[in-house]
Amino acid sequence: MIKCENLYTDLHCHSTASDGTFSPAEIARLAKNAGLTSIALTDHDTTDGLDEFMAEGKRFGVETIPGIEFAAGYKNTELHIVGLFIDYKSKVLCDSMEYIVNERNERNKKMIKALNRLNIDIAMEDLEANAGGNIITRAHYANVLVNKGYAVNKEDAFNKYISAGRPGYVKRETLTPKKCIETILNSEGIPVLAHATLYGYGYLEIHNLVGELKEYGLMGLETIYSTYTEKQSDEIRKICEYYKLLKSGGSDFHGANKPDIQIAVGRGNLRIPQEFAEKMKEALKL
């Protein structure tokens, strides 16, 4: 393992391939400019940006880590499971993404119809133009709703129309947590539970959830994250160490879609040790 003192990483970022506003190449350049040793691109349900991202990393001399962020239906919520150091050309990963994209497309048709029934003028072409890539998320709906004057800002769009229980929301079919973890493992990657405090669970519930996911093969937990308080980070770290999982961390950078979060530093409170990435490589024998 390389000496990691004063070396840093960011293991959770998004580009225009999903719902970020910077291109995959720009993510690599931002990481270099921020002084990071490595950076992971973990777009939602897609690897479309990884070829560009990996090539730009080589050009700029920053280690680029191929990743993905899966959504998994779990009881009354949706978990997010990040895959790091994945073989993004693997057949098992491509098959899973094909299923996910098909389900997203069906959901988009239903959400557009639901919003049209509210006399909101929104079409697939509007969403595609805003997204720029193949993956359309609710962030893109929010942008279009704001741009067309149906909402004051993105938060207003979610609250009025596209959050769970609102008239424009349609729940989408997702992979199970077990399937997400198995897909990442079969793609030679490290499955990591993202932002554990965002699912509405107390620490005991998170503890039990992590134990269940470890039985499926979970290998890591985000112990450092942009919205964690010091206490939250400490509690999640304790859970991580209890289950002997790998520590991970990330800003969850989305560019202008999350303007208060910057690459590498989040809200100014992040410093993610490069050692996290090195220990993952050790686990994978890379």
Side-chain angles (χ1 to χ4, degrees), residues 24 66 102 124 130 187-188 238-239 266 276 286:
N102 289 338
M124 184 62 73
N130 187 263
S187 303
E188 302 176 18
K238 289 176 184 175
I239 293 170
F276 286 8
L286 292 178

PDB file of all heavy atoms in Angstrom, residues 24 66 102 124 130 187-188 238-239 266 276 286:
ATOM      1  N   PRO A  24     -18.145  13.681 -17.422  1.00  0.00           N
ATOM      2  CA  PRO A  24     -17.201  12.749 -16.800  1.00  0.00           C
ATOM      3  C   PRO A  24     -15.754  13.233 -16.875  1.00  0.00           C
ATOM      4  O   PRO A  24     -14.998  13.104 -15.911  1.00  0.00           O
ATOM      5  CB  PRO A  24     -17.403  11.469 -17.612  1.00  0.00           C
ATOM      6  CG  PRO A  24     -18.821  11.533 -18.070  1.00  0.00           C
ATOM      7  CD  PRO A  24     -19.058  12.988 -18.363  1.00  0.00           C
ATOM      8  N   PRO A  66     -13.536   3.330 -11.448  1.00  0.00           N
ATOM      9  CA  PRO A  66     -14.839   3.092 -12.063  1.00  0.00           C
ATOM     10  C   PRO A  66     -15.868   2.650 -11.026  1.00  0.00           C
ATOM     11  O   PRO A  66     -15.601   1.761 -10.211  1.00  0.00           O
ATOM     12  CB  PRO A  66     -14.558   1.975 -13.070  1.00  0.00           C
ATOM     13  CG  PRO A  66     -13.353   1.266 -12.537  1.00  0.00           C
ATOM     14  CD  PRO A  66     -12.544   2.292 -11.796  1.00  0.00           C
ATOM     15  N   ASN A 102     -34.860  -0.107 -18.532  1.00  0.00           N
ATOM     16  CA  ASN A 102     -36.220  -0.403 -18.988  1.00  0.00           C
ATOM     17  C   ASN A 102     -37.253   0.015 -17.948  1.00  0.00           C
ATOM     18  O   ASN A 102     -38.308   0.574 -18.289  1.00  0.00           O
ATOM     19  CB  ASN A 102     -36.362  -1.892 -19.299  1.00  0.00           C
ATOM     20  CG  ASN A 102     -35.618  -2.304 -20.559  1.00  0.00           C
ATOM     21  OD1 ASN A 102     -35.333  -1.458 -21.419  1.00  0.00           O
ATOM     22  ND2 ASN A 102     -35.293  -3.574 -20.685  1.00  0.00           N
ATOM     23  N   MET A 124     -41.220  13.997 -22.817  1.00  0.00           N
ATOM     24  CA  MET A 124     -39.949  13.289 -22.748  1.00  0.00           C
ATOM     25  C   MET A 124     -38.821  14.116 -23.370  1.00  0.00           C
ATOM     26  O   MET A 124     -37.685  14.107 -22.886  1.00  0.00           O
ATOM     27  CB  MET A 124     -40.065  11.937 -23.447  1.00  0.00           C
ATOM     28  CG  MET A 124     -38.807  11.086 -23.352  1.00  0.00           C
ATOM     29  SD  MET A 124     -38.360  10.652 -21.642  1.00  0.00           S
ATOM     30  CE  MET A 124     -39.636   9.427 -21.310  1.00  0.00           C
ATOM     31  N   ASN A 130     -32.781  18.255 -20.906  1.00  0.00           N
ATOM     32  CA  ASN A 130     -32.190  18.669 -19.633  1.00  0.00           C
ATOM     33  C   ASN A 130     -31.158  17.676 -19.134  1.00  0.00           C
ATOM     34  O   ASN A 130     -30.130  18.065 -18.572  1.00  0.00           O
ATOM     35  CB  ASN A 130     -33.288  18.864 -18.581  1.00  0.00           C
ATOM     36  CG  ASN A 130     -32.758  19.450 -17.291  1.00  0.00           C
ATOM     37  OD1 ASN A 130     -32.474  18.742 -16.328  1.00  0.00           O
ATOM     38  ND2 ASN A 130     -32.592  20.761 -17.273  1.00  0.00           N
ATOM     39  N   SER A 187     -19.098  -8.331 -10.588  1.00  0.00           N
ATOM     40  CA  SER A 187     -18.377  -7.428 -11.488  1.00  0.00           C
ATOM     41  C   SER A 187     -17.028  -7.044 -10.892  1.00  0.00           C
ATOM     42  O   SER A 187     -16.416  -6.058 -11.307  1.00  0.00           O
ATOM     43  CB  SER A 187     -19.214  -6.159 -11.729  1.00  0.00           C
ATOM     44  OG  SER A 187     -20.481  -6.493 -12.252  1.00  0.00           O
ATOM     45  N   GLU A 188     -16.590  -7.842  -9.908  1.00  0.00           N
ATOM     46  CA  GLU A 188     -15.267  -7.703  -9.292  1.00  0.00           C
ATOM     47  C   GLU A 188     -15.097  -6.392  -8.543  1.00  0.00           C
ATOM     48  O   GLU A 188     -13.981  -5.864  -8.406  1.00  0.00           O
ATOM     49  CB  GLU A 188     -14.163  -7.868 -10.350  1.00  0.00           C
ATOM     50  CG  GLU A 188     -14.233  -9.217 -11.064  1.00  0.00           C
ATOM     51  CD  GLU A 188     -13.197  -9.351 -12.168  1.00  0.00           C
ATOM     52  OE1 GLU A 188     -12.229  -8.575 -12.156  1.00  0.00           O
ATOM     53  OE2 GLU A 188     -13.375 -10.223 -13.025  1.00  0.00           O
ATOM     54  N   LYS A 238     -18.469   3.462  13.989  1.00  0.00           N
ATOM     55  CA  LYS A 238     -18.531   2.376  14.980  1.00  0.00           C
ATOM     56  C   LYS A 238     -19.235   1.142  14.403  1.00  0.00           C
ATOM     57  O   LYS A 238     -18.810   0.011  14.624  1.00  0.00           O
ATOM     58  CB  LYS A 238     -19.266   2.847  16.237  1.00  0.00           C
ATOM     59  CG  LYS A 238     -18.491   3.846  17.079  1.00  0.00           C
ATOM     60  CD  LYS A 238     -19.335   4.329  18.256  1.00  0.00           C
ATOM     61  CE  LYS A 238     -18.624   5.411  19.054  1.00  0.00           C
ATOM     62  NZ  LYS A 238     -19.486   5.956  20.131  1.00  0.00           N
ATOM     63  N   ILE A 239     -20.310   1.373  13.670  1.00  0.00           N
ATOM     64  CA  ILE A 239     -21.035   0.260  13.036  1.00  0.00           C
ATOM     65  C   ILE A 239     -20.136  -0.414  12.006  1.00  0.00           C
ATOM     66  O   ILE A 239     -20.076  -1.645  11.915  1.00  0.00           O
ATOM     67  CB  ILE A 239     -22.344   0.768  12.394  1.00  0.00           C
ATOM     68  CG1 ILE A 239     -23.314   1.247  13.477  1.00  0.00           C
ATOM     69  CG2 ILE A 239     -22.994  -0.333  11.537  1.00  0.00           C
ATOM     70  CD1 ILE A 239     -24.528   1.985  12.941  1.00  0.00           C
ATOM     71  N   GLY A 266     -17.105  18.449   0.014  1.00  0.00           N
ATOM     72  CA  GLY A 266     -18.513  18.494   0.380  1.00  0.00           C
ATOM     73  C   GLY A 266     -18.955  19.897   0.731  1.00  0.00           C
ATOM     74  O   GLY A 266     -18.865  20.824  -0.069  1.00  0.00           O
ATOM     75  N   PHE A 276      -8.515   4.843   2.381  1.00  0.00           N
ATOM     76  CA  PHE A 276      -9.767   4.111   2.142  1.00  0.00           C
ATOM     77  C   PHE A 276      -9.689   3.368   0.808  1.00  0.00           C
ATOM     78  O   PHE A 276     -10.043   2.187   0.718  1.00  0.00           O
ATOM     79  CB  PHE A 276     -10.960   5.077   2.122  1.00  0.00           C
ATOM     80  CG  PHE A 276     -11.389   5.615   3.458  1.00  0.00           C
ATOM     81  CD1 PHE A 276     -10.637   5.386   4.602  1.00  0.00           C
ATOM     82  CD2 PHE A 276     -12.557   6.350   3.574  1.00  0.00           C
ATOM     83  CE1 PHE A 276     -11.041   5.889   5.841  1.00  0.00           C
ATOM     84  CE2 PHE A 276     -12.973   6.844   4.793  1.00  0.00           C
ATOM     85  CZ  PHE A 276     -12.216   6.627   5.927  1.00  0.00           C
ATOM     86  N   LEU A 286      -5.667  -5.715  -6.038  1.00  0.00           N
ATOM     87  CA  LEU A 286      -5.379  -4.963  -7.266  1.00  0.00           C
ATOM     88  C   LEU A 286      -3.942  -4.442  -7.224  1.00  0.00           C
ATOM     89  O   LEU A 286      -3.432  -4.115  -6.159  1.00  0.00           O
ATOM     90  CB  LEU A 286      -6.352  -3.797  -7.411  1.00  0.00           C
ATOM     91  CG  LEU A 286      -7.818  -4.173  -7.671  1.00  0.00           C
ATOM     92  CD1 LEU A 286      -8.666  -2.915  -7.754  1.00  0.00           C
ATOM     93  CD2 LEU A 286      -7.959  -5.001  -8.937  1.00  0.00           C
TER      94      LEU A 286
END
